[in-house]
Each structure stands twice: as structure tokens, then as C-alpha cells.
Amino acid sequence: MTEAGYTPFEGICLTDTFQMYEKDDLVSGLLSDNSDRRTRQKELDIRVIVGNPPYSVGQGSANDNAANVEYPGLDAAIRDSYAAHSKMTSVRNLYDSYIRAFRWGSDRLGDAGVMAFVSGSAWIERSFADGMRKCLVEEFSDLYVLHLRGDIRKNMLSGGMSGEGQNIFGSGSMTGISITLLVKNPKSKSHGNISFYDIGKGLTTSEKLKKIKYFGSLNGVSAEGKWISITPDSKNDWIDQVDISYDSFIEVGSKSKDTSKRIFSTYSLGVASGRDSWAYNSSRRKLALNVSSSIDYYNSEVIRLESQPKEEKEKLANIDEKKFSWNRNAFQDLSKLKRYKFSSENLQRSLYRPFSYRWAYFDRQYNAMVYQMHRIFPNGAVDNLVIQVSGIGARAGFSALLMDTLPNLHTVDSGQCFPLYLYEKPEEQGLFAAEGGNGSGLKRRDAITDEGLAHFQLAYPGETITKEDLFYYIYGLLHSPDYRDRFKYNLAKQMPRIPAVKQAEDFWAFSEAGRKLGELHVNFEEVEPHPVELILPKGYTYDDLTPEHFRVEKKWKFGGTGKVKDKSTVKYNQYITMTGVPLEAYEYVVNGKPAPEWVMERQVVKTDKKSGLVNDANDYATETMNDPAYQLKLFQRVVTVSLETMRIVRGLPTLDID
């Protein structure tokens, strides 16, 4: 604004920046001035790009009924660079909007210029961006990165122990943030010079802003001597670099055709229903009603749209989340006029979260993805065990949990499941298939390969080692503090690899420990409850309590006041408080949370906001376990499990593999 009035900025364009370079202006006839600006800008020799690109991998829900915008040219550039140089099998996250901005900006600058972004920070440390980091080093002469942390989900999944601190944008962002300045200087004598600054662990928003204000500029960071020079390793990692000896160990599993030796022939993610509020419930009866009613509604839509053109059916579908949760699979089935059929045989008990059972509707058509679970837990009657380990890049850190029932995708965060057995139809079996099964016509075979077993048998001549022994050796080893500490960054970025310890007696120690841990973790509902003192309503004894006294509604609370928590005291509900809970029980952390706290979080009544469906954990106690005090005892049992787990873990031998 000047004394003469408002003077418009002639450089501003109403446009999608990425789309501007994909195709011609579709509204040039309506906005001719805007179109002229677009044309002029595309012809300019741009040398500086500054921005705060949006952070979005893609459409969050099929119920939004809004297609993602496509950028075929830009995405092809990512495919031929960032994705082509990645060693990861899944590169979906490379098409996040802010990463598209990096690719677009680098190409737009040409051979010289400066690019600066405030963006998400996952690309700095996550495995999916290994190829991106490699390309940035090759394309830019100097790279300055301020890592501001603030990944709120990582904080949540790790119980606040991740060190991310608060987000720089307060409640405006859940993802970690970075400030990145990249320089292309064709005259520079060196290339790929990385200067890195980590703002620090556990800081508040105001503390982070104060630091940034104090520095003022890149020169301010330099003046304080805070830049750290980084040399990428062979895996294109910049921070949290891995132990290279890890790659010499046998892989626990691999989908690569180039891998000649692996321990498990196959593995699988847990079930991804795509509609958990419908597909899971603590009540088997309510689950059946929910699923059958949603199927009826979906089928009614198939009938209603039967005469509509195939390509129009998705657009015309009634999106009512109180009646059905749509996803990509359902829209595809709708377009093909596929009808769903409810079957009570698909109702199966599932370990939904650590130490928390729910009933699941397990059906390949109704669930978004079942992966290989139809071969691992084809029904609720088969005997099997799986070790579920944290998925690559899991925010909650590495965990491993043994279970004997159907796992959810997030029982252990985005966890891969390694089974003891596989179940297949007779015609799917090879010539030398092993006999076994559960009387349902399925054949059972070992999931551990002969080559995997032979690898360890050769390491210990004279020892008789079975596949079950090896299975429990793996479970014991994955709990070793030495193993987890030494290979912390490997486990965050790669699938587990399993070393053979030097001494046979250590092998057996890990195997026996794994067997004991497995018995605890699988049979947690049957262990002896840890004794605690119960504070009951005045005048009541335990025998006087009615089912209503054991009912829980809200999340349980610790004792103490304000921010000072007393975890030795747990308020179960308005009637019962437990005291004398040993603090050592909270040392056993699985999937980012102390085991007893999983019980406190999950044994509640919760209403899903979108569907309105209620999951009442009390239903499992009364309907499945026939014990209204089940949840109270469950907490005490998981305390026992935690104490025994830590006792066994502390007794593991030193990891002797060098």
C-alpha cells in the first residue's frame, strides 16, 4: 500500500504450482491476467525458491470422496531419481507434497540457485527417503539443515520418551519440522557438503522459537559453532547411522528374489481392516450385528446403483459413515456389483493391541488387506504362534511380541509377523508337504526354512536343534538389551537380522529364555495376578462387590497430583483403587508403552466419532471371560508378566558375536 493507493504485485499467480508445469492453463479465458503472469513466470530464469509446502502423502479416507491430484511429470521425476536410488520396497511416502516440492524446486533451479523450505523432517532420518538424501547430496553443493524435531506421534507412541519435544507450530502440526537451505553453486570446488544442527531433545515450542530467534540466520548458527558436518554412510543415512556388521547376519525374512538364505519362508503384516470401528469389538454379539448391518447397507447400494454406468457408481454412492465405512476396496467392489455376505465363521478372537483382546471380523472381502494372514490364522481353531516385530521406521521404537491369535496391523506398530507354521489347502502344497492341521482340511507346514535351520545347525556342530528351538532363540535374542542397543538404528531402518552367538550354551540360553517369555506373553490371561492392596468403598469387603463395582468407563488414572504421578497407585474406577503396584512393572515396554499402561488405556468404553459405534471393554469381561472382575485381574496379571519378563531379560547372556 502506498500514498497513491494499493499497487498489486504483478508476480502473484492463482495456480497449483506443480500443475502449472504439467499442462496448459485451463482457465485462461476467464483469468487472462493470471494466465499472462503464469506464462511470464514459466519463462523466467528462477534462482531463488522459498516455501512452506504442505505435508500430505495422499487422501486420508475414501469416505472423503475426493480424488488426489495427479502430477504425472513431477512424479515421473521422483520415480527416476529419489525412488530409483532407494533400497526400500515401498516408496509411497516419496510422493508426499513436501517431497514433491524438493524435487520440483531442484529441477526448476537448473544448475545454479538457492532453495529453502520449512517442511516435514521425516526425510532426514526415515528409511523411505534414502534415495532422496542421495540425490540431494549429488545435486547440491551445500546443504544446511536445522532439525527442529516435534514429531507428536512419535512422542505419543513412545510415552513421551522420544525426545521430540513440542512442535514448533504448537497444535498446528503433528509432524516433525525442519528448515532446509540448499545451494547449487556450479563453481564450488566440493559437492554435497552437509551442515546439520539438531535443536535438542525435549524442548517446548517457546524454547525452540527462542533458539531460532537468537540465531537469526545461518551465520548465527555458524557464529556459535553449532553446525555439525555430516558424511553420509553407504546406506545414504545422515544421522543415526547403522552398524555395518549387521548385514553379515542371516535375514529373518525377505521378499527379495536375490536373497538365497532366510530364516522364514514368508511373513506378513497384521490385518488392516480399513474400518476398525466396524470390524473389531469387545463383544462378539455386537460385532456380528455391526458387520451384518453394514453389509446390508453396502449391498443395498449395489442394488440401487445396479443400472448406473460402472465409472459413475463411486460418485453416486451414499457416503454415510453411520451405516458403512467406504474404502478403495469397497468402491471397486461396488463398481463390479460384488455383493458381500456375512458369515459367523469369520468372527475370530484377535490381539488388537498388546495384552488387549477383541473380536474381529476376519474376511478378505470385508477387510481392506489381510496380507498372508489367511495362511497363518485362517480360522480361530488352528494352533500357531507368530512373532510380531515393529515395522521399519516405527515411531515407537523396536518391539517384539509373541501371540497365538490373529494380530492387527498395529498390535505392534505396523508390525511384520513371523509365524511358526503356515496353513494351506492341499492343492497349494508341494510334493513333500508335511501332514498336520486342525481337521478343517488344511495342511500345516513349517514356516522356518530348511536353509535357515541348517545355518544355525552348522554353527553348533553336535547340537540337535529343531525349528521350534530356533523360533524361540529368535524371540529371546530380540529381547536382548545388548542386541537392541547395538543395532538400534539398524532395527529402525531394516528388518531384523539374526546373528549366531559364539557358544552353543548361549544359543540354548537365548532359546530357553525365548520359550519362557513366549509362555508369559501368550498366556497372560492365565498367570497369577500380582498381589496389590485394594481400597474399596467404606464398609465393603472384596466379596461384597457386585459386577457394577468392577465396571470401567474412562481411562484409568495414576495416583499423585498434577504433573507428579504416583504409578504405585492406580485408580481403577470410582469404587476401587489399587496401591502397592511395583514401579519395576513399568520397565517392560512394548510398542512404546509400559505393558500395564496398555491395560489402563484399552480397558475402557470408547465411542468412535465417525460411526457412532461403541466399543465397551466390559463386554469382553462378561461375555467372553464370564468374569466382571476380569479387567482388574488383567492389570495384576500383566504386572506379573512385566516383572517376570524383566527378570528373564536381565538374566540373558551377553551378546557374544564378534
Side-chain angles (χ1 to χ4, degrees), residues 107-118:
D107 292 340
R108 185 66 179 86
L109 286 177
D111 62 355
V114 176
M115 181 170 76
F117 289 135
V118 177

Side-chain angles (χ1 to χ4, degrees), residues 275-325:
R275 49 174 71 90
D276 278 12
S277 61
W278 292 94
Y280 289 90
N281 203 280
S282 294
S283 167
R284 187 179 187 275
R285 178 182 60 82
K286 291 178 183 177
L287 175 64
L289 291 172
N290 293 341
V291 173
S292 60
S293 67
S294 69
I295 286 177
D296 288 344
Y297 180 76
Y298 164 81
N299 287 337
S300 72
E301 286 295 281
V302 172
I303 295 170
R304 185 177 70 85
L305 300 172
E306 195 167 13
S307 61
Q308 298 295 331
K310 183 177 181 180
E311 61 275 7
E312 293 295 314
K313 287 182 171 61
E314 178 176 339
K315 298 177 183 177
L316 296 173
N318 286 329
I319 309 300
D320 186 346
E321 295 193 61
K322 301 290 184 183
K323 295 181 179 179
F324 183 69
S325 179

Side-chain angles (χ1 to χ4, degrees), residues 515-573:
R515 193 178 295 271
K516 290 178 180 178
L517 289 168
E519 289 173 357
L520 278 171
H521 300 161
V522 168
N523 302 312
F524 63 89
E525 289 185 322
E526 300 169 16
V527 301
E528 191 67 24
H530 184 81
V532 296
E533 183 178 343
L534 300 179
I535 300 176
L536 306 176
K538 189 175 181 179
Y540 278 77
T541 66
Y542 187 86
D543 292 337
D544 296 328
L545 299 177
T546 66
E548 186 60 30
H549 286 104
F550 293 109
R551 181 174 175 80
V552 289
E553 294 281 346
K554 301 178 181 179
K555 187 176 179 180
W556 311 9
K557 296 181 179 180
F558 289 117
T561 57
K563 294 182 179 180
V564 182
K565 295 179 181 179
D566 175 13
K567 291 191 174 184
S568 68
T569 298
V570 174
K571 185 177 181 181
Y572 173 75
N573 61 15

